[in-house]
Amino acid sequence: MALRAAVRSFAVVALRPKPAAEVFHAQTFQVREMSVFSSIKDNISHRLETRKNDKNAQAYVDQINFLANSKTYTLQDHFEQMKKQAEAGGVTGWKSMMPGVSSMPQIQQMKASLQIMEAMEQTHRENPALINGKVKRIVSEKVGQSLEEINNTLRSYEQLNSLRLWLRKRVERGLPLPDSLDNTTEMIREDPTGFPTKNLRY
């Protein structure tokens, strides 16, 4: 009986209309609570984005340093570098299973380039000068990619190799290396010494 009375008493108190001031206080608390959670969410998102940007920036610097210190850079080297980037970027590995990743244009482009280079004989990857029209047609049939796509892959490699030659010239002259894409573009514009654009075949 005492328990029932206590429950009834609690129910009456619970159902009794709250004063306007108390309701306003509760609503204000809820608004503040939502604001706090929203702030925390924004803060976490900002940190994740900053971390991602920092990681990408460091990856770019690492790539620049790698090229600047490479005496040679064959298509085989390019292939190995792209495989590492592919795994880090979600083209291969567990990240590729995440929704939407595989359909991203840059991911599809990298996949196509990897397939093209993988279909080539290692002899051709180690000595790209041996890659002629016949070799490209064979690769095209193997992977189902157009000759234009194959030329794009080779052009990408040659441009990176040209960048390597330019970077090594800067190292020899004791000049600073770029630390971002914008910085690289600006430096090449101001000092194109050693950047052999005329030798690009594709």
Side-chain angles (χ1 to χ4, degrees), residues 79-99:
F79 181 46
E80 295 297 333
Q81 282 293 304
M82 281 198 69
K83 283 196 291 186
K84 292 178 183 178
Q85 292 172 9
E87 186 172 357
V91 178
T92 59
W94 66 269
K95 289 183 181 179
S96 63
M97 305 300 291
M98 296 174 65

Side-chain angles (χ1 to χ4, degrees), residues 20-35:
E22 188 177 341
V23 173
F24 176 76
H25 176 73
Q27 290 176 342
T28 303
F29 175 76
Q30 289 175 353
V31 170
R32 287 177 180 173
E33 188 178 42
M34 290 176 64
S35 177

Side-chain angles (χ1 to χ4, degrees), residues 63 73-83 114 117 153 156-158 160:
Q63 177 76 357
Y73 189 70
T74 65
L75 190 59
Q76 178 65 32
D77 296 324
H78 187 57
F79 181 46
E80 295 297 333
Q81 282 293 304
M82 281 198 69
K83 283 196 291 186
L114 286 171
M117 287 186 284
T153 297
S156 175
Y157 155 70
E158 289 205 344
L160 208 55

Side-chain angles (χ1 to χ4, degrees), residues 166-194:
W166 176 77
L167 290 168
R168 288 187 63 79
K169 284 288 184 182
R170 290 188 71 83
V171 171
E172 290 172 3
R173 296 157 63 199
L175 297 175
L177 299 178
D179 57 8
S180 69
L181 181 58
D182 290 341
N183 196 207
T184 303
T185 304
E186 185 63 27
M187 282 187 176
I188 291 175
R189 186 183 297 114
E190 293 178 355
D191 177 28
T193 305

Side-chain angles (χ1 to χ4, degrees), residues 75-76 79 83 92 111-122 125 139 142-143 153:
L75 190 59
Q76 178 65 32
F79 181 46
K83 283 196 291 186
T92 59
K111 278 184 176 180
S113 293
L114 286 171
Q115 288 175 349
I116 288 169
M117 287 186 284
E118 189 172 15
M120 293 178 179
E121 299 290 338
Q122 186 161 345
R125 290 200 299 267
V139 172
K142 279 185 180 180
V143 298
T153 297

